[in-house]
Amino acid sequence: ENSATDPKNLRVKLVLLGDSGVGKSCIVLRFVRGQFDPTSKVTVGASFLSQTLALEDSTTVKFEIWDTAGQERYAALAPLYYRGAGAAIVVYDITSPESFNKAQYWVKELQKHGSPDMIMALVGNKADLNDNRSVSSQDAQEYAERNSMFFIETSAKTADNINQLFEEIAKRLP
Ligand code: GTP
Ligand code: MG
């Protein structure tokens, strides 16, 4: 293996999954373009974007990002995007318990059909709407730990923890 001082150029296929409206496309837009779209349109099928992140030790990670469509009618397409993925971001909206249930469905799906060594992140988005929170951080954290995932709360709107999310994935790459 390379030593810690030897910078590498890594590449990872990453998939985002989660209920429609939780903010998957906004997370990606914030990470890739530094923007937020309050009128974001629902994703049809899936969309692909890539972004390279430089880490402190000058390792670079190219994320090849599949942003899937959360609407039920597209659920059957998901395996096309998570198959062969090295990392998955499962997103819910902290104001929506239904979206947290849906996130758990996707986690089970990935555990059954994804690669066993996939890095999985559980993301509670819309952290800026804390006043309307209905999923506690502690419940989500415990669920994530039980399922060997890491947990983070983000806001695509304010940019809070968006870069940290991708850095945490990068750090865990083999
Ligand atoms: P599908 O493509 O249908 O699966 O939905 P999606 O998960 O991609 O949702 P999208 O990113 O399009 O965002 C849905 C709505 O939530 C939009 O109106 C966004 O502006 C809003 N939104 C996304 N992220 C945030 C956030 O962090 N905070 C707040 N307040 N609103 C957000
Ligand atoms: Mg979308």
Side-chain angles (χ1 to χ4, degrees):
E1 287 295 301
N2 292 319
S3 74
T5 53
D6 185 6
K8 294 174 276 188
N9 298 303
L10 305 175
R11 201 160 60 94
V12 63
K13 176 180 169 180
L14 170 83
V15 64
L16 284 98
L17 294 164
D19 216 352
S20 182
V22 297
K24 298 179 297 298
S25 297
C26 287
I27 289 170
V28 174
L29 186 70
R30 174 59 80 185
F31 176 58
V32 173
R33 304 231 169 84
Q35 297 167 356
F36 176 68
D37 180 4
T39 65
S40 180
K41 301 288 180 300
V42 301
T43 303
V44 173
S47 80
F48 178 81
L49 285 101
S50 80
Q51 172 73 326
T52 299
L53 185 68
L55 302 181
E56 277 173 15
D57 65 354
S58 29
T59 292
T60 64
V61 180
K62 185 181 184 197
F63 289 98
E64 298 173 341
I65 305 169
W66 286 101
D67 171 25
T68 65
Q71 287 185 333
E72 198 55 45
R73 73 186 76 162
Y74 302 112
L77 296 178
L80 298 176
Y81 304 106
Y82 66 64
R83 194 172 297 143
I89 296 177
V90 179
V91 186
Y92 66 93
D93 168 351
I94 67 156
T95 73
S96 162
E98 299 78 19
S99 76
F100 187 55
N101 287 339
K102 195 58 182 275
Q104 296 178 35
Y105 162 83
W106 284 118
V107 170
K108 287 185 200 118
E109 185 85 1
L110 291 171
Q111 287 168 343
K112 272 189 263 174
H113 305 296
S115 355
D117 51 0
M118 187 186 270
I119 297 160
M120 291 204 277
L122 178 66
V123 174
N125 189 44
K126 308 198 186 182
D128 56 289
L129 301 179
N130 195 45
D131 291 350
N132 296 317
R133 172 189 293 275
S134 56
V135 180
S136 85
S137 306
Q138 198 189 329
D139 287 353
Q141 173 75 60
E142 284 170 6
Y143 176 81
E145 277 170 20
R146 283 199 304 276
N147 289 279
S148 311
M149 309 173 79
F150 76 91
F151 169 63
I152 192 167
E153 290 188 351
T154 59
S155 170
K157 184 175 180 179
T158 66
D160 201 35
N161 274 347
I162 298 292
N163 274 318
Q164 287 85 337
L165 164 62
F166 289 87
E167 281 164 13
E168 287 300 322
I169 293 169
K171 281 192 217 159
R172 286 168 168 80
L173 290 173

